[in-house]
Amino acid sequence: MSIRVAVLGAAGRMGSTVCRAVEQAEGLDLVARLDAGDPIDAEHLRGAQVAVDFTVPDVTEANVHAAIDAGCDVVVGTTGWDEESYGRIRTHLEQPGARGRAVLIAPNFALSAVLAMSLAAKAARYFESAEVIELHHPGKVDAPSGTAVATAQRLAAARSEAGLGPVPDATQVDPDGARGAVIDGIHVHAVRLRGLTAHEEVVLGNPGEQLTIRTDSFDRESFMPGVVLAVREVGSRPGLTIGLDALLDL
Ligand SMILES: NC(=O)C1=CN([C@@H]2O[C@H](COP(=O)(O)OP(=O)(O)OC[C@H]3O[C@@H](n4cnc5c(N)ncnc54)[C@H](OP(=O)(O)O)[C@@H]3O)[C@@H](O)[C@H]2O)C=CC1
Ligand SMILES: O=C(O)C1=N[C@H](C(=O)O)C[C@H](O)C1
């Protein structure tokens, strides 16, 4: 029996790639392509069991609530989530009408990026300094990337667990923000460049040495195995799952 899938943001860069991947995947059946202006309700979702959201940060949370209300499990790749919005999804999933429903939200579905984040978190405790540089296509609407935010949070958590203090930094004068965004104490730098797709470097430094962990998505194809895996698995994980790590046993 195939899993019926709806794609939200179906006309976008990721949504259109996801539509093709779902059409080609064994055991998945693409039943609805929704984009801006389309209501997200049972009628328009056309019997979908899983809705996949690759839209824009401003609307993704509302889409997920609507898809849950329409009886779907949801896989989300859109950025813009934080602890408060995760909390509202958890609360929604505890309501009687939504119990048993599942939502999986991942900042990055590419295997190389998921592994880079995991390796960086593992390495973080051994280095005095840590910074994140993310590099993307110039059509991206948000900065820093969701992946960079998640990476910085994981670096910070690993450092704190290991008892490390703040990263060394003598900067006192920086009127234009040249040191980048600071997320949980980790500096994050965003590059937007024609020709790029999605890339990230985590640089970790000690006296006399540096470890660089780099992930490159040259093509949106790189995200598809992770998205297809999430569509297949989400229904067996009721509640909210954040990140692909759990599905990969990392
Ligand atoms: N987790 C991951 O692995 C990845 C995540 N992303 C993230 O996915 C998101 C989408 O990226 P990308 O495809 O490049 O962006 P695009 O701008 O190419 O696509 C977004 C699409 O969503 C549509 N849209 C806007 N509002 C709604 C709505 N209310 N309901 C349904 N559709 C809507 C847009 O329509 P219109 O243009 O008409 O407004 C557009 O077609 C971003 O947040 C990005 O960071 C990207 C790559 C990988
Ligand atoms: O907008 C993109 O392209 C990407 N967005 C995600 C993010 O913000 O982390 C994932 C990937 O970096 C591509």
Side-chain angles (χ1 to χ4, degrees):
M1 193 72 159
S2 289
I3 300 172
R4 297 185 300 279
V5 182
V7 175
L8 318 181
R13 286 177 286 257
M14 279 299 289
S16 54
T17 314
V18 171
C19 286
R20 281 195 297 280
V22 169
E23 284 175 324
Q24 287 165 13
E26 205 173 309
L28 303 188
D29 185 11
L30 182 66
V31 295
R33 299 168 190 252
L34 305 185
D35 215 72
D38 294 328
I40 295 168
D41 56 22
E43 181 193 343
H44 292 84
L45 288 165
R46 301 165 68 94
Q49 295 158 290
V50 179
V52 181
D53 185 287
F54 279 96
T55 57
V56 288
D58 281 354
V59 305
T60 181
E61 185 189 345
N63 286 355
V64 175
H65 289 294
I68 295 169
D69 285 338
C72 288
D73 295 328
V74 195
V75 170
V76 184
T78 314
T79 47
W81 293 84
D82 57 21
E83 281 311 316
E84 285 71 39
S85 45
Y86 288 146
R88 290 188 289 272
I89 297 297
R90 284 195 187 95
T91 302
H92 191 165
L93 291 172
E94 284 159 10
Q95 303 308 305
R99 220 164 271 152
R101 291 264 77 84
V103 175
L104 185 147
I105 304 172
N108 204 308
F109 283 98
L111 181 61
S112 64
V114 175
L115 286 170
M117 280 190 275
S118 175
L119 294 171
K122 252 199 175 74
R125 61 179 298 137
Y126 301 106
F127 290 87
E128 242 185 272
S129 291
E131 303 219 358
V132 178
I133 306 159
E134 57 95 330
L135 312 90
H136 281 83
H137 60 93
K140 183 167 177 56
V141 298
D142 57 323
S145 71
T147 308
V149 172
T151 306
Q153 289 168 338
R154 288 178 66 170
L155 288 170
R159 287 175 64 89
S160 155
E161 203 174 302
L164 295 185
V167 292
D169 182 4
T171 309
Q172 290 182 16
V173 182
D174 179 13
D176 297 318
R179 292 286 291 115
V182 183
I183 294 164
D184 292 356
I186 304 294
H187 291 257
V188 177
H189 310 271
V191 176
R192 296 291 175 266
L193 204 70
R194 185 68 67 207
L196 295 180
T197 301
H199 317 259
E200 181 175 287
E201 266 186 29
V202 181
V203 283
L204 300 152
N206 270 336
E209 65 171 348
Q210 178 179 316
L211 172 64
T212 302
I213 299 172
R214 181 170 172 120
T215 165
D216 293 281
S217 276
F218 300 111
D219 192 292
R220 291 184 178 83
E221 273 306 303
S222 61
F223 305 111
M224 295 306 116
V227 172
V228 167
L229 175 68
V231 169
R232 290 195 170 120
E233 296 277 320
V234 65
S236 59
R237 294 172 178 274
L240 175 62
T241 302
I242 299 166
L244 206 61
D245 302 51
L247 276 58
L248 298 174
D249 236 358
L250 288 179

